[in-house]
Amino acid sequence: MAEKQKEHGLLYKIATLIVDKRRLVFLFYALAMVFCVFSSKWVEVENDVTRYLPKDTETRMGIEAMNNNFETNGMAEIMVSNITMDEAEQVQSMLESVEGVMLVGFDDTPEHYRNATALYDVTFSAVDTDPVCLNGMAEISDHLKNYDVEIDTLIGYDETKMLQDEMTVILIVAVIIIIIVLVLTSRAYAEVPVLLFTFGAAAALNMGTNFIFHKISFISNSVAVVLQLALAIDYAIILCHRFSDENEIMDAREACISALTKSIPEISASSLTTISGLVALSFMKFAIGFDLSMVLIKSVLLSMLSVFTLMPGLLMLFRTLIQRTKHKRLLPNITPVGKFAVKTRYVMPVIFAVVLVGAFFFAHQCPYCYSYNEVKTAKMAERQVAHFEIQDTFGTNNMVALLVPSGNYEAERAILTELESRPEVKSTMALANTEAIDGYMLSDALTPRQFSELVGLDYEVAGALYSAYAVDQNQYGELLQGLQEYEVPMFDMFVFLKDQLESRNITLSGEEMSDLDEMFDQLEQAQSQLQNENYSRMVVYLNLPEEGEETFQFLQEMRNIMGKYYDSDYYVVGNSTSARDLAESFSNDNMLISVLSALFVILVLLFTFQSAGLPILLIVVIQGSIWINFSFPTLMHQPLYFLGYLIVNAIQMGANIDYAIVISSHYQELKNEMPHKKAIIQALNASFPTIFTSGTIMASAALLIGNLSTQPVVSIMGNCLGRGTIVSIVLVLGVLPAILVLGDSVIEHTKFKIQPAAHKEHETSGKVRVKGHVRGYISGMVDADFDGVLHGDMNASVRMGGKVEEEKGDEEDA
């Protein structure tokens, strides 16, 4: 009777509804897929990781100030090899003649010409995405097609589209690998399309619902589908195998209902460790962790939803084909691995402990980097190849921008003078050192006489212009004292003159206008690049790498220099400041993720196994795999982008712990039926198909991302996750069994039981209404949940919270 009650509990009723209403479920998913086709286009993708920095960092504030006040024109570094100096000058002339090119930086110094190789710094007159830049870049490429040339530019470089194209290829290859793995581990060939349809629906739902976040990072957008497949396909496999087991002893409908009833709690519990790791990721101060965790948590939840609602209907739809395509087990047992674990149970844990100490040391010496511009990936785009070729030939070109409140030209000039005297500075560019005409700089102050002679303007017109400027600036004292010695910065006067001409307050002859047109063009360029009414921008090129202690210290020195002349509202912005801010947030984020991911997983394991010792043993194995994983960059002297470490740290802990849980669960069950040594061998054989399936899919998908993506952050994350998964599998199969057998006494001595709800004894007779769990005698032994009226003598305990009330009325009403 107890079993019958269990079968007809809430989960059984839900499972029955899902299986019997499968056609309605199919209709819902068909409509949802159509909706997702359109909604997947609503989400915006953010390509700039600095947008996820805390709002109070200098990089974030400086970038927002710069983007709100200035246009960043398209730029290109063009390196032409195997040419003479004369040929290099001809190329320079060609570049300057291209429409849209504003400036070509080139001379005979080693910074631009060495070893028969020329380097041109090309600046365009519009932003990267403007057709002027795109057409100009295409024309330059056409002119240089017969040269040995490398071009590093963001013009025409659509990183989002490139990532999407790469992920499409990666997903296709991943699906082929997954099909092979599923065939090896399936019990019937027809199970494979069921699994793929279920995952396809889950992936479509996840992509189609990302619009609820409005904007997601390019990392989340690119890797979510592949990681969703790797993280959540286990859920579909669990239900599929449950259905096969149940279908051996009952018909397809009852088997599907029973399998779903049993799988819901099992899959839900399995997902908790994965979700726990992702939740830890969301606590990062660097908000890209929150972005990725929300997308991936949603993907896990939607994968479970698809398994719970869509897959039962698919199993019923394919039930006949599944029966016809059953095959024998293709994966062998790994009995030798289990026997090896038993024989080495006193040796392997000691070796692992020694390796653990070494891995801890090397992992904490990991050479982290915070700017992925200098990270080489297995596959690189043409732009990346060009970047490293130029860097190898001419060295680094580290540019930072200084933003200061506009108007104080003397302060700007003083800052530039002090910076140019420093060996760390290669060159600078600002209004204060940009030549306008005849040796005058744009920020130089001129009298009316000097201004009129310089630009060929009638002196009376220049006097009237200066008078109007003094009135506009409320400088009436200058009018009273006379304008002969009144000095106004050339840039400000040109801006004022341009405004007066546009408002028709001043008119000039055609000859005067033709003389001024070139100056106005230069003025517009300076306004868009170097100054507006709020800020002045000074560009500084450093002789320092983008990151490192020396670079970070000099950034602070630059701030100190600026602080001599400005009280606030000044910024240093560039890849170096971004790297510094990311480095400062990394240490806290690293500690937070490591502690929280381990803590969340321990809590899940604690209630799963009801033992204090077993979760610690499992965590030690997986944490050991993480340390070993991140020892590789140290030993191979390869810089590791910090974000790859943080993301993989959380995912590896949350996802790979499942492998250890599977073996431990089987072992805990089997050791009650057979000797411990035999139990661990059988546990490994029973667990191997699940670990092989999940681990192979996770490692394959991650390594495909790592080796086929050109995006450094995505590539590094893929390689680290793939390598970490392989290390986890090796430790789980090769080390954990020995630890479980050797530490069995610890596991047993730290067990505890979560007590069921308390019962209260009731002794009564007659007609009573009972609601709650009852255990005792009611004219016979009863142990069940009741909600109704009992008639007779009762001597039983009722769980606390249950009700026992005497009923009034005739016996016939009972």
Side-chain angles (χ1 to χ4, degrees), residues 61 89 202 245 248 259 276 394 480 499 521 713 739 756:
M61 293 187 294
E89 290 174 346
D245 293 338
E248 295 290 335
S276 295
F394 288 94
L480 296 176
D499 290 341
D521 290 340
V713 180
I739 291 177

Side-chain angles (χ1 to χ4, degrees), residues 432-491:
N433 62 3
T434 298
E435 184 177 353
I437 187 173
D438 292 344
Y440 284 101
M441 303 300 169
L442 280 173
S443 61
D444 286 347
L446 303 179
T447 64
R449 175 67 65 184
Q450 290 171 320
F451 186 78
S452 67
E453 292 175 352
L454 186 66
V455 300
L457 194 65
D458 185 78
Y459 178 70
E460 285 74 16
V461 175
L465 182 65
Y466 269 62
S467 297
Y469 180 85
V471 172
D472 184 74
Q473 299 295 313
N474 296 321
Q475 296 176 350
Y476 300 104
E478 301 292 344
L479 290 175
L480 296 176
Q481 295 174 11
L483 296 174
Q484 290 82 0
E485 301 302 321
Y486 181 29
E487 293 184 337
V488 176
M490 185 193 307
F491 180 82

Side-chain angles (χ1 to χ4, degrees), residues 154 164 295 448 587 639 667 726:
L154 290 175
Q164 289 174 344
V295 173
S587 56
Y667 175 66
I726 294 172

Side-chain angles (χ1 to χ4, degrees), residues 216-268:
I216 62 175
S217 70
F218 70 94
I219 298 175
S220 303
N221 186 60
S222 59
V223 304
V225 174
V226 181
L227 287 184
Q228 180 183 7
L229 173 60
L231 290 171
I233 200 167
D234 284 358
Y235 310 150
I237 294 173
I238 290 172
L239 178 57
C240 194
H241 287 178
R242 278 285 187 187
F243 174 74
S244 297
D245 293 338
E246 300 294 329
N247 203 17
E248 295 290 335
I249 56 176
M250 57 184 72
D251 63 64
R253 176 182 175 276
E254 287 299 321
C256 198
I257 294 172
S258 178
L260 182 57
T261 303
K262 295 176 180 178
S263 296
I264 289 176
E266 183 179 356
I267 292 171
S268 299

